[in-house]
Amino acid sequence: MDGRAEAPAAGTVLNALATGRGSAFAIDRTVTAAVSLDPDAESVTGTVAEDADADTALIERCVELACEEYGDPALGGVVETESEIPMASGLKSSSAAANATVLATLSALGVADDVTLEDAALLGVRAARETGVTVTGAFDDASASMLGGLTVTNNDRDALLARDEVDWDVLVWTPPERAYSADADADRCARIAPVAELVGELALAGRYETAMTVNGFAFCAALDQPTGPAVDALPLADGVGLSGTGPSHVAVGTEDALKEVRELWNERPGTTLLTTTRTTGGRVLTT
C-alpha cells in the first residue's frame, strides 16, 4: 500500500500570530512525501531526506490521523519527505510536508479521490497542533499550499475566508539562520494586532502587495528581524515582506524588477531563489 504526493511551499501576506487571521500564497517549490503502509508494522516511522536528525513527529502523526479517519488505525509503515525548500525558513515547509504526507497516505489507502483538498489540509493542521509545531494551527499556510493560489483564513475557526489566483514572479532571500514558528513570541506579536487588522482588511480588499509590505515591517519589529531586505526591495518590487516568522524575506513583482532586487540581496549572507507563484496546490503523484 504505497502512495506519493507533493505540495508547494508558500509565502506570507499576513501572519496569523497577532489576530488569528492569516494569508499566504503558494510558490513553485515543493515538498514530496512517499508513504508505504504495512498492516504488520507496529508504528509509523518517518524520515526527512535532507536531515537525518530532523523531528518527524508531524509527518508520522499525519499518517496516523489519515489512517484513523479514512482507513485502518492499526496500520503502520514508513513515510519519507524530500523538500526543495529549507526547513524553518518561513516558507511553510511544515505545512507543505503535512499536506504532501496526508495526500500520499490517502493515496496509499485508495481514497484520495474521496477526500476534498480542504479536508485533507485540515487533517494536517490537526496534526500540526497535536505535535506542537505551530501556534495558530497555520490553516493559512496549509490552505495556500494545499489549494494553490492565495488564501485568507481565520485560523481560530479553521475557516477559509477567501481564495484568489495571483500571477507574480517571486524572489526569496533566506539567510543562514533558522526560525521555528513554535518558538515565536506570540505575546509580543499580539501587541501589533491593530496593524494586523489593517493588513487583513487590505488582503480581503485584494491589495495583497501592500498588505504583505505592511505586515512585513510590523512583524520584523515584533520578531526582531531585519528590515533592510525590504528597504532594498521597495523601490523595485510590488510587495515585499517577512515570510512567516522568518528568517526568509519574499518579494513579488516582475521578473526584471526582481532580478535587480536579487543583485542587492545577493550581497547579504544566505541564498536567493527566483521563482513564481503557483495556482495549483497539493496533488497525488502517480509515477
Side-chain angles (χ1 to χ4, degrees):
M1 303 170 67
D2 300 327
R4 292 182 68 246
E6 69 173 19
T12 294
V13 173
L14 169 60
N15 190 314
L17 278 172
T19 65
R21 291 196 173 195
S23 177
F25 58 94
I27 64 174
D28 196 24
R29 287 296 185 273
T30 60
V31 176
T32 302
V35 172
S36 181
L37 300 177
D38 182 353
D40 295 324
E42 296 182 356
S43 62
V44 178
T45 302
T47 58
V48 175
E50 297 74 28
D51 184 355
D53 297 322
D55 187 344
T56 57
L58 172 61
I59 57 175
E60 290 166 357
R61 188 59 181 146
C62 284
V63 175
E64 292 169 351
L65 286 177
C67 289
E68 289 173 12
E69 292 291 324
Y70 300 105
D72 182 352
L75 284 170
V78 296
V79 52
E80 181 178 23
T81 60
E82 184 174 356
S83 179
E84 295 180 338
I85 54 173
M87 298 174 62
S89 61
L91 299 175
K92 327 306 183 189
S93 61
S94 293
S95 291
N99 285 342
T101 300
V102 169
L103 288 178
T105 307
L106 295 176
S107 177
L109 292 168
V111 297
D113 293 338
D114 301 327
V115 182
T116 68
L117 289 177
E118 188 171 339
D119 283 344
L122 287 169
L123 205 62
V125 168
R126 179 180 162 191
R129 285 197 178 107
E130 290 183 3
T131 55
V133 302
T134 176
V135 175
T136 70
F139 185 51
D140 49 342
D141 304 340
S143 61
S145 171
M146 187 67 92
L147 303 177
L150 184 151
T151 61
V152 184
T153 63
N154 182 324
N155 286 7
D156 293 335
R157 296 191 290 110
D158 289 338
L160 182 65
L161 304 179
R163 180 184 177 273
D164 198 359
E165 294 189 355
V166 290
D167 183 14
W168 296 324
D169 286 287
V170 179
L171 180 68
V172 180
W173 170 67
T174 303
E177 303 82 36
R178 293 292 176 263
Y180 292 90
S181 299
D183 296 334
D185 189 339
D187 291 337
R188 185 168 170 82
C189 290
R191 297 180 66 86
I192 61 170
V195 179
E197 290 172 358
L198 170 62
V199 173
E201 293 172 5
L202 290 169
L204 287 172
R207 298 179 61 187
Y208 308 125
E209 298 95 335
T210 301
M212 71 183 295
T213 302
V214 175
N215 176 84
F217 278 104
F219 277 90
C220 278
L223 297 168
D224 294 322
Q225 293 285 348
T227 56
V231 174
D232 288 345
L234 270 178
L236 301 162
D238 295 334
V240 60
L242 185 72
S243 194
T245 57
S248 293
H249 284 68
V250 176
V252 301
T254 65
E255 182 178 5
D256 288 343
L258 295 183
K259 284 181 177 178
E260 293 188 54
V261 177
R262 184 172 61 182
E263 292 181 7
L264 297 172
W265 282 3
N266 279 340
E267 297 176 6
R268 298 177 175 275
T271 60
T272 56
L273 166 68
L274 186 60
T275 183
T276 64
T277 50
R278 176 164 157 163
T279 57
T280 57
R283 66 188 184 104
V284 170
L285 300 174
T286 57
T287 59

